Amino acid sequence: MRLLFLGDIVGRTGRNAVIERLPGLIDRYKLDFVVINGENAAGGFGITEEIVRDVLDAGADVITTGNHAFDQREALVFAERQPQFLRPVNYPLGTPGRGANLFVARNGARVLVVNAMGRIYMDALDDPFAAIDREVSACPLGEQADAIVIDFHAEATSEKQAIGHHLDGRVTLVVGTHTHVPTSDCRVLPGGTAYQSDAGMCGDYDSVLGMEKEEPVRRFLTKVPSGRFQPSGGPATLCGLAVEVDDTTGLARAVSPLAIGGVLEERLPTFWG
Ligand SMILES: [Fe+2]
Ligand SMILES: [Fe+2]
């Protein structure tokens, strides 16, 4: 089974890159399942229902989020009725929407996707380790699920690495999101779980985390806000990972970073030809 994960979509340029390039990628690599983090898709802050629909229409199977999940207030409503939209699973009880769901991939495989948020330098949420454990033990790999994808939306690489090792051997992929910068630690862990501390973003890298660079630089220089953060509009890089899943175990046979377009050096999975 062939799985693609793409990091946080940032603004219009990120959205357009996904919408324009994803159908071709699905076709070229015969992708069975696609997960994309969409938390910054609407002007850098949250995601609207219309964008959710556009990204799903382009071929995504699931849209995950993070701390920006509800920046667009309409998400409080559509989160309830859109099963392909996930917000962090460790939000307090009563938060609209869901943080995990079971999907059927194009090859018929049952894929559990869990979105969780870290707690280091982030909002104080419920324990993400316990929350993910609950979801994974309710739908274990090789029993109710043929593959399991964890989008761990977190700031600290220590917390991300810890969650990766904690889940190694029990899930297909643990991938970090939120920092928007792809890390170079992509590998299959000893137990067979594919791992990368951060997937990077789908956005313009000639920026500060996808935002026009002038205002963030000014704020570091003076500590006085003098404008709003606006998504940077240059050509976007699609950043993420490609995972070749072993169909008998549901674990990762191979994983590769992926970067297409924009100012970053291109990286494509070699194992799919
Ligand atoms: Fe983000
Ligand atoms: Fe985030």
Side-chain angles (χ1 to χ4, degrees):
M1 173 182 175
R2 296 178 168 195
L3 197 103
L4 177 71
F5 184 95
L6 294 176
D8 310 28
I9 300 173
V10 183
R12 182 182 302 274
T13 187
R15 247 149 59 205
N16 288 347
V18 167
I19 290 162
E20 281 160 24
R21 289 173 184 266
L22 184 58
L25 286 174
I26 292 172
D27 212 42
R28 172 174 173 190
Y29 292 121
K30 311 250 176 310
L31 299 174
D32 296 301
F33 200 75
V34 179
V35 182
I36 308 182
N37 188 301
E39 72 150 8
N40 309 105
F45 299 94
I47 187 164
T48 63
E49 190 166 27
E50 194 183 342
I51 298 172
V52 166
R53 234 177 283 121
D54 289 345
V55 174
L56 295 176
D57 285 348
D61 294 281
V62 186
I63 296 170
T64 52
T65 56
N67 52 308
H68 292 293
F70 296 112
D71 284 1
Q72 303 292 323
R73 310 307 289 172
E74 61 179 271
L76 292 165
V77 178
F78 72 71
E80 288 288 330
R81 61 170 176 247
Q82 177 47 269
Q84 288 161 287
F85 173 86
L86 300 182
R87 48 77 175 158
V89 70
N90 50 331
Y91 271 162
L93 219 65
T95 303
R98 70 204 85 199
N101 209 354
L102 189 65
F103 302 91
V104 178
R106 278 176 272 282
N107 65 339
R110 301 157 302 170
V111 186
L112 174 69
V113 181
V114 185
N115 189 191
M117 206 152 93
R119 295 192 293 186
I120 311 289
Y121 309 123
M122 309 277 289
D123 285 346
L125 296 181
D126 292 347
D127 176 3
F129 288 77
I132 298 172
D133 276 344
R134 260 197 306 276
E135 298 299 333
V136 171
S137 52
C139 187
L141 196 62
E143 294 176 42
Q144 279 88 348
D146 302 306
I148 301 179
V149 175
I150 313 290
D151 174 348
F152 189 52
H153 197 80
E155 188 78 49
T157 43
S158 57
E159 198 178 17
K160 289 168 159 175
Q161 291 186 349
I163 215 112
H165 290 302
H166 179 64
L167 294 166
D168 185 21
R170 293 192 285 144
V171 306
T172 314
L173 168 69
V174 174
V175 57
T177 55
H178 177 68
T179 70
H180 294 196
V181 179
T183 54
S184 59
D185 58 347
C186 181
R187 69 197 188 278
V188 179
L189 299 175
T193 295
Y195 176 83
Q196 185 169 316
S197 295
D198 206 287
M201 67 170 171
C202 298
D204 176 12
Y205 274 91
D206 186 22
S207 69
V208 175
L209 306 187
M211 296 293 169
E212 282 179 358
K213 54 201 165 192
E214 290 75 14
E215 175 62 16
V217 171
R218 259 195 312 264
R219 284 198 205 180
F220 278 110
L221 287 172
T222 68
K223 295 292 169 200
V224 179
S226 54
R228 293 181 51 191
F229 287 130
Q230 301 279 3
S232 193
T237 306
L238 292 191
C239 270
L241 324 177
V243 187
E244 172 68 27
V245 184
D246 184 327
D247 292 334
T248 57
T249 62
L251 293 168
R253 213 182 261 148
V255 59
S256 163
L258 179 128
I260 301 171
V263 299
L264 293 196
E265 193 182 330
E266 181 161 273
R267 305 190 75 170
L268 296 172
T270 51
F271 45 75
W272 290 339

